[in-house]
Amino acid sequence: MWRKENGHICDAKTQLLRMRVLRVALDVPVAKLFEYLIDDAAAVAPGDRVAVPFGARARAGVVVEIAGASSVAQAKLKRVERVLEGAPRLPADWLEQMRFLSSYYQRPFGETVAGALPARLRSLKPLPKRRKTVPEDLTNSASTLVSEHAPNAAQACAIERIGAALGGFLPFLLHGITGSGKTEVYLRVIARVLAQGMQALVLVPEIGLTPQLEARFRGAFPHTRIAVLHSALEDSARTHAWLDAARGEAVIILGTRLAVLTPLPRLGIVVVDEEHDASFKQQEGLRYSGRDAAVLRAKLVGCPVVLGSATPSLETWFNGREGRYELLTLPERAVPGAKLPTVSTVDLRSQSAEHGLANPLLDSIRTRLARGEQSLVFINRRGYAPVLSCEACGWAAGCKRCSARLVLHTSDQSLRCHHCGARQAVLRECPTCGNVDLRPLGRGTQRVEETLAVLFPAARILRIDRDTTRRRAALARTLDAIGRGEGDILVGTQLLAKGHDFPNLTLVCVLNADSALLSTDYRSAERLFATLAQVGGRSGRREQPGEVLVQTRFPGHPMYRALIGHDYAGFAAAQLAEREGAGFPPFVHEAALRAEAPRLAAAMAFLRAAAQLMDVPASVQIYDPVPHVITRRAGFERAQLVLQSHSRPVLQEFLRLWSAALPASTSSGVRWHLDVDPIEFD
Ligand code: ADP
Ligand code: ZN
Ligand code: ZN
């Protein structure tokens, strides 16, 4: 009896010995890994996806570690149900990237991993069948580059330097004015990477805005498999593109910030185009910077990373100045004979602008019409008018759920909130005094379009904003048409500013830029400079010279002076000096704790208590909480407090302890999140 029992114990023991403990990342808001047993440890490795029991049901998780023993009694552990097949094992550098992002941005590891995977890979569903095999000519001769241009001297130098760095980590800042041929540099460097059998990852701000870029890549590499990844893709398209990239079958991966989270078995170069663009920062969930994640990825893999821009972010420019990034410069436009546009200001204090556009702007548009050239009128505000108000009593239409005015849209006679999306029929009379003469104040794209149609009845006017081009395909068609010379006057927002190449466009008029200068955000001048340089850069891209006219009440403002002189470096130096004096990034590291609640008092009280919650290291400074400028949004009232430190590690460690100690967010009470390296403080 004794013997038998002993024998039984021995059996169980040896079985336990063969059994291994898997530490698994699951999509739950808890900062830990979950342990499971597996009978046959040889069948699994870190990076595999597994189905595991969790609560009442099974879930998909990612194996992160395999341990010999558990911290809890093994008898309490459940078994892995099965290893999920079909996707390649997630590589070690990818897991390392997730680990870093999770700790840097203070988000539980499991949620970080889950957020990086397409929905299908987070589920237990079988993966879609492999797509039909690709035609022969798409897999062979991958590196053949089709290009009409021989690189100029500056391009050749940049290509040489980056090419020489292949095979090791080295960050480059490619500072090239608009139209200087940065894309051409990327293409040639990528051709070299492909020739070595490696993959290239190219990040762009918003692919919907740059359909021309995708077309250019496809045109340059007609025999190469390109995976395009962005958040507007349908689930299945995203899954296929992700799998193509992760299997190493697609060799160029072109996408928005989320593409930086794709596992790539043979990554040879990372390119971040328009690296200054704010859309690289994710504003929910894992609040990561796609640009910073790109540099990290290149470091983990050991390959060069190229950050390209005409107006680099001050953080990146500073890294260049300090010698951490190698600076490559393209100082001239690539098309022979093409010059940067002349930029001038039009002083609104001495010029009347009864139609919203001062006479010099109207005259210049008239000249372009006579010459058969295109003009672009840029105003970064869609809708008809930003305010509908009653002159009798001063009432103005406001959103019930936000502390913001409603914008008048005349296409459907609605009042819309641009912050929460609320929409209502336009009012016929003032709700406070009954006055029926409600007036639109200010101007948006619709009103400018209307004005121009009256002033230039024979001109073909095209308006491009999110209201006219909700769909990517529609936008792509319109941009193509403009590129072919359709449309005499284009009226548009930011959507028209980015990266497009319109050969026949020679005039850019900028309305209402001043509003950005009055913002309290210390980044607003930097952003405005980038936007105006970018939109101005749409003009004069061929032989005919371009002209940019900016209406302003502050013609002497240093930002406008720098813009007129095409002096990014001078502007950046002045901004950096200001930031240093005032103690702003990149001279300190920042994080923000944001809270929202039905009542502002609750959000403020939460933040005040948070600031008192624990001892703060001497090198970390916590500022007083302040309400957001737009305090109320979608029914919630919001406040934030900023933390600063000269030491990133000290700040990181404090944030880790702090966020663990803060009470959990609740949907009825206070919801909060941390934003590390925040870039927006609305
Ligand atoms: P960026 O990306 O810097 O704005 P692009 O790469 O789009 O500039 O180039 C701007 C224009 O110059 C494009 O029409 C491109 O075809 C052309 N181009 C680029 N490199 C050369 C070159 N070496 N010679 C002539 N044209 C060029
Ligand atoms: Zn009134
Ligand atoms: Zn609203």
Side-chain angles (χ1 to χ4, degrees), residues 1-63:
M1 188 68 200
W2 183 85
R3 277 181 160 256
K4 196 175 172 195
E5 205 177 282
N6 195 23
H8 180 76
I9 289 168
C10 279
D11 269 1
K13 241 186 196 159
T14 44
Q15 203 192 345
L16 274 177
L17 279 179
R18 256 185 284 125
M19 220 182 282
R20 287 302 189 103
V21 176
L22 300 188
R23 312 194 67 218
V24 176
L26 291 175
D27 186 10
V28 289
V30 182
K32 67 166 206 171
L33 297 174
F34 294 85
E35 296 186 334
Y36 292 91
L37 295 176
I38 189 158
D39 293 329
D40 182 7
V44 66
D48 282 337
R49 294 181 315 123
V50 287
V52 295
F54 188 85
R57 60 193 186 90
R59 284 186 185 238
V62 172
V63 177

Side-chain angles (χ1 to χ4, degrees), residues 318-592:
F318 182 65
N319 279 326
R321 200 177 87 178
E322 299 294 294
R324 284 190 286 270
Y325 295 176
E326 184 174 330
L327 177 64
L328 305 168
T329 309
L330 305 181
E332 271 158 36
R333 284 202 155 171
V335 172
K339 292 271 172 301
L340 276 178
T342 53
V343 182
S344 25
T345 48
V346 172
D347 190 346
L348 280 179
R349 295 167 309 180
S350 56
Q351 291 279 345
S352 68
E354 38 184 324
H355 309 291
L357 287 85
N359 278 332
L361 277 65
L362 296 176
D363 292 342
S364 300
I365 292 174
R366 203 167 288 122
T367 316
R368 293 325 188 277
L369 286 172
R371 292 209 298 247
E373 296 169 8
Q374 292 169 309
S375 307
L376 161 60
V377 178
F378 174 76
I379 174 162
N380 214 4
R381 189 196 270 157
R382 63 195 169 86
Y384 187 82
V387 185
L388 180 69
S389 85
C390 167
E391 283 183 2
C393 75
W395 169 90
C399 178
K400 292 190 181 67
R401 309 172 68 216
C402 307
S403 37
R405 298 270 166 77
L406 291 174
V407 179
L408 175 63
H409 285 250
T410 45
S411 49
D412 59 353
Q413 288 299 317
S414 66
L415 290 170
R416 297 188 209 164
C417 176
H418 286 188
H419 298 278
C420 72
R423 184 187 289 230
Q424 64 181 67
V426 69
L427 299 170
R428 306 240 165 264
E429 58 182 49
C430 173
T432 39
C433 76
N435 175 15
V436 292
D437 188 19
L438 297 180
R439 295 278 171 87
L441 291 185
R443 258 155 239 284
T445 46
Q446 281 183 354
R447 194 172 192 179
V448 172
E449 179 190 23
E450 182 189 88
T451 306
L452 291 167
V454 172
L455 295 174
F456 304 107
R460 298 166 300 169
I461 301 175
L462 282 179
R463 174 160 62 88
I464 297 93
D465 56 31
R466 268 205 286 137
D467 299 319
T468 59
T469 46
R470 291 237 165 260
R471 294 164 187 284
R472 236 161 76 78
L475 176 62
R477 269 198 304 278
T478 312
L479 294 174
D480 259 3
I482 298 172
R484 288 194 309 270
E486 267 175 48
D488 302 311
I489 306 176
L490 323 170
V491 179
T493 55
Q494 202 93 291
L495 275 190
L496 263 189
K498 313 211 172 176
H500 316 299
D501 198 19
F502 304 135
N504 198 34
L505 181 79
T506 58
L507 173 69
V508 173
C509 296
V510 178
L511 312 188
N512 197 43
D514 286 346
S515 57
L517 284 182
L518 305 173
S519 158
T520 52
D521 187 338
Y522 62 83
R523 280 190 172 83
S524 60
E526 174 187 355
R527 261 189 220 130
L528 182 59
F529 186 92
T531 301
L532 296 187
Q534 194 65 237
V535 67
R538 296 316 99 215
S539 73
R541 292 170 71 89
R542 296 296 186 275
E543 294 72 21
Q544 307 104 310
E547 183 178 15
V548 180
L549 296 175
V550 186
Q551 289 192 163
T552 172
R553 294 188 177 283
F554 314 106
H557 194 286
M559 200 281 307
Y560 290 128
R561 300 259 71 94
L563 198 68
I564 290 169
H566 299 294
D567 185 15
Y568 169 80
F571 173 73
Q575 285 286 311
L576 284 174
E578 258 180 47
R579 298 255 183 110
E580 186 164 23
F584 284 129
F587 299 93
V588 295
H589 307 291
E590 275 189 350

